[in-house]
Amino acid sequence: MIGYILIVVILLPQSLAHPGFFTSIGQMTDLIHTEKDLVTSLKDYIKAEEDKLEQIKKWAEKLDRLTSTATKDPEGFVGHPVNAFKLMKRLNTEWSELENLVLKDMSDGVKHKSFLTVEDCFELGKVAYTEADYYHTELWMEQALRQLDEGEVSAIDKVSVLDYLSYAVYQQGDLDKALLLTKKLLELDPEHQRANGNLKYFEYIMAKEKDDNKSASDDQSDQKTTPKKKGVAVDYLPERQKYEMLCRGEGIKMTPRRQKKLFCRYHDGNRNPKFILAPAKQEDEWDKPRIIRFHDIISDAEIEIVKDLAKPRLRRATISNPITGDLETVHYRISKSAWLSGYENPVVSRINMRIQDLTGLDVSTAEELQVANYGVGGQYEPHFDFARKDEPDAFKELGTGNRIATWLFYMSDVSAGGATVFPEVGASVWPKKGTAVFWYNLFASGEGDYSTRHAACPVLVGNKWVSNKWLHERGQEFRRPCTLSELE
């Protein structure tokens, strides 16, 4: 909370200095309301801190009385079993609770007055509907309907919400639910023209499918006609539910038998001289695909240098078009990124060599170090790092073959969200500053490992910095599947 206030206060003078601000009284009056909101937020923060301090005072007064009594006759005091028990209890638990209270960030407990109204949810649902994103249309319209059911007063009525909601559900292929919602709409407005038309159409479709199924059954066919989806959202994801579940922290738990095969170890880079005396710390995050986390693998000082180099170059992140090979922005990747070469700074060069030493993979044919920054809401939906068989020209211009492996540095902690998830296998890897994760995208045969399909979950609170290195096939010929020593 207080951080937010300070950030806004710092930014306000810059905004006011812009000459365009003085050309509109409307914008100037907006600033008055902004300042009022800041004052309100500041008061809320002060109240929360005062409440915390009051709790600490009560603890101090209680403990002061106890210690005053105990110090008069220490042996006699602890000689009583109840006093001895309570002393041990305080030292083992209550003082820890007090420490947690002292360190607690009270801004987490402040209830902000900003919230999404029915109108907000309805408008967001309409935007999604316009973009043929029926999945999110359903989510926003259901939230609007829920708030109306809870009694929120709004200029938007249930009929309008149900109108969009029923059709969005139908577009996703759920005729039963669409029919139910349409009937609910007509209970509120029996004369609604579009709803009456939709009702007849939905009933006709369901009756036709019933007849088709009956005919198929009469022909002793095992195949059944299923409702066809009349429209697929532009951001349709077959694994969306699992992806969002993993982003919420509801990961799939491994069986104890599989967990026993995950280890922590010290890794010397296959007897690399740089890591014999100070080996790297490795932790197995997942078994199939094998995902390894390296702890304390990049220092805070190195992180700051990489960020400083990248900040002036940050641009909206792009993807390689699988058909044309051109770089383009897409709605499912929301972040800013920059590329750093090893020759421009010794720190970047040192980081590149560290990756090579620990993986045994030649970085001379790897792509440059990509630095990415995700703000609140920043994400990258499920994707593959390697090129599939139907994308033969994806990395043709590089001339280095497919992406054999991915190395990903976490350069910040994230307050909430921001995990790297693998929906195919149910793995979630959470950001931890100073660590890195590594996995192979290709099998030893050169075939793509489809279980490595992964995503960067939306950042909910905070700021996420990462940097990654994509290592390619060329240059690895004697490391995968054999080494030079084996050929001699």
Side-chain angles (χ1 to χ4, degrees), residues 291-337:
I291 305 170
I292 300 173
R293 188 193 292 266
F294 290 84
H295 289 269
D296 303 319
I297 203 62
I298 184 171
S299 68
D300 288 351
E302 289 173 326
I303 288 173
E304 290 308 310
I305 290 172
V306 170
K307 286 166 62 176
D308 287 342
L309 289 170
K311 283 177 183 177
R313 311 182 200 175
L314 287 175
R315 299 291 184 272
R316 175 71 187 269
T318 59
I319 61 107
S320 176
N321 186 297
I323 299 175
T324 65
D326 296 335
L327 297 177
E328 59 187 26
T329 59
V330 287
H331 69 277
Y332 55 82
R333 187 180 190 185
I334 304 173
S335 65
K336 287 191 173 182
S337 63

Side-chain angles (χ1 to χ4, degrees), residues 384-434:
F384 298 102
D385 280 351
F386 65 91
R388 275 75 68 208
K389 289 183 178 179
D390 59 349
E391 304 169 341
D393 297 331
F395 306 117
K396 185 176 181 180
E397 289 186 4
L398 297 178
T400 52
N402 212 340
R403 288 172 175 168
I404 188 174
T406 296
W407 177 286
L408 177 66
F409 284 113
Y410 292 114
M411 303 198 302
S412 69
D413 295 313
V414 182
S415 300
T420 304
V421 298
F422 296 73
E424 184 71 22
V425 297
S428 298
V429 181
W430 296 89
K432 184 179 180 183
K433 187 179 181 181

Side-chain angles (χ1 to χ4, degrees), residues 333 368-372 406-409 466-470:
R333 187 180 190 185
E368 294 179 339
L369 187 71
Q370 180 181 219
V371 182
T406 296
W407 177 286
L408 177 66
F409 284 113
V466 297
S467 58
N468 66 277
K469 195 79 172 175
W470 281 310

Side-chain angles (χ1 to χ4, degrees), residues 348-368:
V348 179
S349 178
R350 185 166 69 238
I351 289 172
N352 288 340
M353 290 309 300
R354 188 176 304 155
I355 295 171
Q356 176 170 300
D357 292 337
L358 290 171
T359 64
L361 297 174
D362 193 337
V363 297
S364 65
T365 57
E367 295 173 51
E368 294 179 339

Side-chain angles (χ1 to χ4, degrees), residues 5 10 69 165 179-180 290 299 304 413 455:
I5 293 170
I10 290 168
T69 303
L165 179 57
L179 185 64
L180 184 67
R290 191 182 183 204
S299 68
E304 290 308 310
D413 295 313

